[in-house]
């Protein structure tokens, strides 16, 4: 299967919603992770990413304008030992807690379901990046918009190929209601292992009106050293 152009995919979709990218740099020496959020409402757009001791959190840019923190204020990224958990909701904590209890990724997510935001029923997307560069992705979504039925999909990527990644996002595009992501995570080319260059490329490709915040991290697979880049539209990035 041919690797798709990540930036072209983003430019061609004005509203992929929230997205997770995991993969390996072209030289095979670095693991690559990215997470972005977008928004259509003022409440969703009134957010920034902020570094925490073990990852990042979403935070209201203007606290006085925050009307409903549920589903939009959470920790998208948390480190668990040498692993990294990335999700689009508070299931980050569910996965982290389960891993600390000796359980596995899928066990944790079988206790959760899609978001209760009908009629969209936004999928919960989650990723787990291991210290050796292998990774897993998951999506929990309603059955064609039926809130009574949950579809659970898990994808594992062992010994990932250099220069290749997998991209999972919540929506197929803009609409009313929003259409949930379909199929397997998109196989994409990782164009660079430089965190700043990757962040700049993704940020430029995301729709200028709808993008909100972006996290990019690269991890040296030999040393474990990492580089993290955050971009926030409300802070002028």
């Amino acid at each position: 299967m041919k690797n798709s152009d990540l930036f072209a995919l983003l430019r061609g979709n004005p509203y992929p919603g929230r997205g997770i990218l995991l993969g390996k740099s072209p030289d095979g020496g670095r693991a690559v992770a990215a997470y972005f959020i977008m928004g259509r409402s003022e409440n969703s757009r009134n957010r920034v990413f902020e570094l925490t001791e073990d990852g990042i959190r979403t935070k209201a840019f203007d606290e006085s304008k925050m009307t409903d923190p549920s589903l939009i204020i959470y920790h998208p990224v948390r480190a668990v030992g040498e692993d990294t958990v990335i999700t689009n909701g508070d299931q980050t904590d569910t996965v982290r807690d389960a891993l600390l209890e000796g359980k596995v990724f899928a066990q944790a997510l079988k206790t959760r379901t899609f978001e209760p935001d009908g009629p969209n029923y936004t999928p919960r997307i989650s990723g787990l990046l291991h210290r050796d560069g292998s990774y897993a992705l998951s999506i929990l979504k309603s059955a064609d918009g039926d809130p009574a039925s949950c579809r659970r999909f898990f994808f594992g990527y062992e010994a990932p190929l250099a220069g290749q990644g997998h991209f999972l996002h919540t929506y197929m595009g803009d609409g009313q209601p929003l259409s949930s992501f379909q199929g397997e995570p998109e196989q994409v080319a990782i164009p660079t292992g430089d965190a700043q260059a990757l962040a700049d490329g993704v940020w430029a490709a995301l729709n200028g009106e709808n993008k909100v915040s972006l996290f990019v991290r690269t991890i040296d697979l030999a040393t474990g050293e990492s580089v993290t880049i955050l971009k926030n539209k409300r802070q002028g990035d």
Side-chain angles (χ1 to χ4, degrees):
M1 181 186 298
K2 183 179 179 181
N3 295 333
S4 297
D5 183 323
L6 173 65
F7 301 153
L9 288 175
L10 293 174
R11 287 193 297 268
N13 186 346
Y15 201 68
R18 287 164 275 175
I20 298 172
L21 169 71
L22 297 175
K24 187 179 282 188
S25 63
D27 66 4
R30 302 186 72 85
V32 173
Y35 176 68
F36 64 78
I37 58 175
M38 306 183 83
R40 299 187 300 179
S41 69
E42 176 58 29
N43 196 46
S44 292
R45 292 175 176 179
N46 179 36
R47 290 183 290 170
V48 294
F49 283 168
E50 181 179 76
L51 286 171
T52 65
E53 184 177 349
D54 67 346
I56 63 170
R57 67 171 180 164
T58 59
K59 179 183 177 182
F61 177 72
D62 184 340
E63 296 283 356
S64 69
K65 294 182 178 180
M66 177 60 65
T67 58
D68 180 8
S70 65
L71 302 180
I72 65 170
I73 299 299
Y74 56 94
H75 289 79
V77 179
R78 285 193 185 274
V80 183
E82 294 187 310
D83 293 341
T84 305
V85 180
I86 304 176
T87 89
N88 72 328
D90 63 10
Q91 74 268 26
T92 308
D93 296 346
T94 303
V95 175
R96 178 202 59 178
D97 293 347
L99 294 177
L100 291 173
E101 293 171 2
K103 298 177 182 177
V104 299
F105 186 61
Q107 283 179 295
L109 291 170
K110 285 181 179 178
T111 69
R112 303 301 302 268
T113 185
F114 46 83
E115 294 182 356
D117 62 338
N120 296 319
Y121 299 111
T122 298
R124 290 193 187 272
I125 57 173
S126 307
L128 178 62
L129 175 62
H130 296 293
R131 173 65 179 82
D132 64 0
S134 62
Y135 54 91
L137 289 165
S138 168
I139 182 168
L140 313 179
K141 60 183 182 177
S142 68
D144 300 322
D146 186 338
S149 179
C150 181
R151 304 274 173 85
R152 303 174 185 275
F153 300 89
F154 298 90
F155 307 90
Y157 303 92
E158 299 178 8
L161 302 179
Q164 186 180 94
H166 292 86
F167 174 44
L168 182 60
H169 48 95
T170 52
Y171 308 126
M172 296 302 291
D174 208 345
Q176 292 287 354
L178 291 160
S179 176
S180 294
F181 181 88
Q182 301 291 324
E184 293 187 19
E186 294 171 307
Q187 182 174 299
V188 298
I190 301 293
T192 177
D194 181 276
Q196 186 67 64
L198 180 61
D200 289 345
V202 171
W203 194 241
L206 288 168
N207 180 271
E209 182 178 356
N210 294 323
K211 66 183 178 184
V212 174
S213 296
L214 170 68
F215 158 90
V216 170
R217 175 172 291 168
T218 62
I219 303 171
D220 189 301
L221 294 174
T223 67
E225 294 181 359
S226 64
V227 177
T228 299
I229 304 294
L230 299 184
K231 288 183 175 288
N232 292 301
K233 184 177 179 181
R234 286 300 183 100
Q235 294 178 337
D237 292 320

